Structures are given as C-alpha cells and as structure tokens.
Amino acid sequence: MKEELKYELIESYLNGDLKGEALSDFERELQTDSGLKAEVELHRDIEIAMINKKDIPFIQTMNDIHQKAATTTSQQEVTKMPGTGKIAKRPILRYIAIAAVAAALLLAIFGRQFLMQDISPMQLSENTIGTTLTLSTARSDDGATVDQLLKEGYDKLDKGQYAEALALLEQVKTDTPDADAALGTGYANLYLAQYDKAVSIFQNISNNKPGVKDIADWYLAHTYLRQGKKEDCKILLQEIISSKTVTPKRENQARELLDAIR
Amino acid sequence: MYDKNLQLAIIFMCTNTISNMDKKAHEESYYIKGLLENDRKICQEIYDKYYAKIQSMVISNSGSKEAAKDVFQDALIIIYKKGLKPEFILTCPFYNFLYPISKHIWLKKLNKKSRSEVTIEDDGGFIDEANIEDVIHETERHALYREKFALLGDKCRALMSLVFEKKKMREIAEILEYNNEKTTKQQHYKCKQRLIKLVREDSRFNEITD
C-alpha cells in the first residue's frame, strides 16, 4: 500500500470516518497485518499525546470543584482560628499588615521592571527570540534548484552566515508559492540589523500569507523591539497571543516577552 | 535518581490490553467514563474520595498543597488519556490505579530536585501485584512525541495542531491559506511522516514501545 494512502486510511479509521465495506476491509487487514496494527497504534498514540491540557473538558470541572473545596476549607479555618479579628483590634498590627501588603503589591508591579532595567532591547530580543528559523516543509533532495537554494539558504541562517543566506534566498523569493524564502530574507535582514527591510518583508508576509502570519508577526515584533519601538512590539505580541492559529509554544514565547517588556 | 525498577515493582496490574480482554472490567470503571464524559457528579465523587489521600502522600513527602493539586490533576490526565484507547480496561479499584500514577509523578518531580534517591512509603493495605510499566512507558513516549513535534517547522506545527484539534481539511486550508484541501492533505502527510521519522529514529522509542 502506498504510504500516503495508508496514512489517509489510518486517519479516517481513527476519526471514525471509515464506514461499511471499507471499514470491514481495514479491520480485517488489521487482524492479519501486525505492521499496520503497530502503525495505527502509533498514530493514535501521537494523537492522544498531543491533546492539550486546556482541551480536556474535565480539567475545568475539577478546577471548579477544587476551588470550591479550597474556599470552604479556608472559610472554616478562619472561623475556627482563635483570636480572629485581633489584627483589626490592634492598630499597629493592622498598619504593619497593610504596609506588608502594599510592599508586596509594589514589588509585584514594579519588581520585574527594576530587574529588567539593565537589559537592553537587543539583549532581551536575543534572549527570547528562540531557535533559528526552519523551513516549514521538507524540501526534496532531488536537486531541484529552488529547493536546493532554499535548503542552502536556511543552512546558512542556521550557521549565522546571514549575508550569504540573504544572497541565496533573494534568488528564489519569487519562485516559491509558500513564504519560506521571504521569511528567510526577513530573518537574515533582522540579524544584519537592516531593520527597515526586515519590517517591510515581515509586514508583507503578515498581510498576505495568513498561514505564516504568526511567525512573521513574531519576527516583526522582534524587529520593532530592536528598533526600540516597544509599543509596536507590544501590540504585535498581543495579536499573536490572541491569534486562533498560534501554537502553544509561540503563545508562551509571546506572553513571556510581553511580560518582560512590561 | 530513584530506582525505576523498584517503582515498577510496587505498582499494580490495573489495566489490560486487547490481548487479555477476557478479564472483567472493574465495577469502578465508571470513574473512567465519568472523566471521559466530563460528568460533574463523578468528578466530584473522585475528588471527594481521593484528593485528600493524594494530597496527604505529596505533603508527607516534602510537597505543598499546590504541588498536590498538580499531581492529582496530572494523574487524572494520564488516566483520561489511557481511557481514550478503546482496548483499555480497568481491572482493579480506581484508587489502585490513581495512587501509583500519582506517586510516580511526584517521585519524578522530587528526583528532579534531589540528587539522592527518593522513595515514598506505600499506602499500606491496598497493594496487590505491581505493574504500571505500560503507563510509565506511555508517559515517556508521549513526552518523546512532544519533543519531536517541537522540532518541526512552525508551519508544520500549526497545520498538525489544527488537525489534532479535529478541524476539517477544508477549514485548515482556509486558515493556513493552502490552495485547496488536497494540498493541505499532502502537506499534512509530509509533516506527519517527518514527525514519525523523527520519533522512530530516536533510540529511546524502541526502549519504551510496548
């Protein structure tokens, strides 16, 4: 069986889309073909592994139950506590308690900013930008010129040879229907500190390629950050966080960077 | 590091695969169904009956209330994911399944923090024979899949995430702006093939595959 067709059948089977004779045939094959059985189990195992905690319905229910139980317990503890209300009756203790709460609040609000004061936007970007940009899909090794140049260009990006990468990717940026070449040129320009060019490329991708909008926005945010345009950077990070297609990892990265800038 | 074999040896045979389906499902299997169906009444029952016990195990072994909550939740997620497999049958009381999983999770967290071997005294009186090896291997396999998934390109991850969320190919094609459903399917095939290749090439995969 051709592998692509096999994958399609396995997915249809796991999604419950196989019906009638097709289902019977597949199940018969599963009984006799241990390789196929192992393959089906692997596909299902991967699907189950990738379920996010936030998508499991009972989690919210359990959290509600826990919250309710915790509130009830703490109320019972307060009621039982001997001397409850002592703080209110002793002005000095009350002032100390208020001061402690205020100090904690101030630390929570401004502490991170104090800690971040010594970090330059460039450093912050370098610390948070993540791993090197990679090709979104595997490119063929059959020597096709466009694929070959893309692979070489990304290889140069990975090695930090941004000028060489840019030269290679510039050659193919109009020949590929996807955004790999354009993203690569934007990325190279970002690292070459040619920020205006990087901004223009990433904005163009963001406006015209919804499939990679989150990626383009992420690097555009970093370009703004390196330019010192913190407000523009923050707006983009918010957009990434609220994007429907953003991956959990990218969402976390955006949250952390936004938090650090604030 | 704690001795995993020792851990394996003290936990119980609570699940059965399709190969021994002649075993009878335990009467407390309804807890699994309750988790799968997000049945509030059953969730409440699980919480009321077992949360304090798991919390006690964590707190008496250097943990906090907050840590106990995480352990309890993570253990239930493992059970939930196990329950998603049609061949899964609970063959022992629910607690005999929940406790060793919780203990395993907590031991792993403790051993990450500690350089010396950590052990936890067992909750005496309920232990039969031990074997939660498949659950432990499953957890390790799932971590391996997620590790390999993170190595895929951003676009592949976005595409596969939408497929895992059970979005239709037509819808995904629109979101990710592929030309059509067929192209989206082809891209998804390539991404999945890459993921599976990465998983299979990792030497840990064979060690933790049943």
Side-chain angles (χ1 to χ4, degrees), chain A residues 19-84:
Chain A
K19 308 277 180 210
E21 206 176 322
L23 177 63
S24 318
D25 289 348
F26 191 80
E27 284 181 334
R28 205 173 307 119
E29 209 171 332
L30 266 184
Q31 299 288 327
T32 53
D33 187 342
S34 58
L36 180 65
K37 192 180 165 204
E39 192 84 26
V40 169
E41 277 165 12
L42 176 60
H43 281 244
R44 188 170 54 201
D45 210 20
I46 289 174
E47 265 187 32
I48 291 173
M50 301 310 294
I51 297 172
N52 283 319
K53 205 186 247 193
K54 63 177 183 177
D55 295 327
I56 299 178
F58 84 80
I59 296 289
Q60 190 53 49
T61 309
M62 267 308 169
N63 280 341
D64 292 345
I65 292 169
H66 179 76
Q67 192 61 41
K68 203 174 157 191
T71 310
T72 312
T73 311
S74 83
Q75 278 171 350
Q76 283 168 350
E77 279 169 4
V78 169
T79 315
K80 282 180 196 168
M81 197 189 292
T84 302

Side-chain angles (χ1 to χ4, degrees), chain B residues 52-121:
Chain B
K53 290 181 180 181
I54 301 303
Q55 181 177 261
S56 166
M57 182 270 290
V58 172
I59 289 176
S60 57
N61 288 284
S62 323
S64 63
K65 279 186 178 180
E66 203 50 41
K69 187 195 163 204
D70 291 342
V71 168
F72 185 68
Q73 191 177 79
D74 290 347
L76 290 179
I77 290 172
I78 288 177
I79 294 174
Y80 170 89
K81 288 190 172 182
K82 196 89 189 138
L84 285 172
K85 297 191 172 180
E87 68 270 21
F88 171 80
I89 302 170
L90 182 77
T91 56
C92 66
F94 185 76
Y95 184 54
N96 289 16
F97 196 38
L98 173 68
Y99 180 82
I101 293 173
S102 307
K103 182 176 156 182
H104 172 70
I105 293 168
W106 184 234
L107 271 173
K108 265 184 87 174
K109 287 188 181 173
L110 279 181
N111 281 291
K112 265 188 188 172
K113 289 184 198 168
S114 168
R115 286 184 181 181
S116 57
E117 184 183 314
V118 179
T119 54
I120 295 177
E121 286 296 311

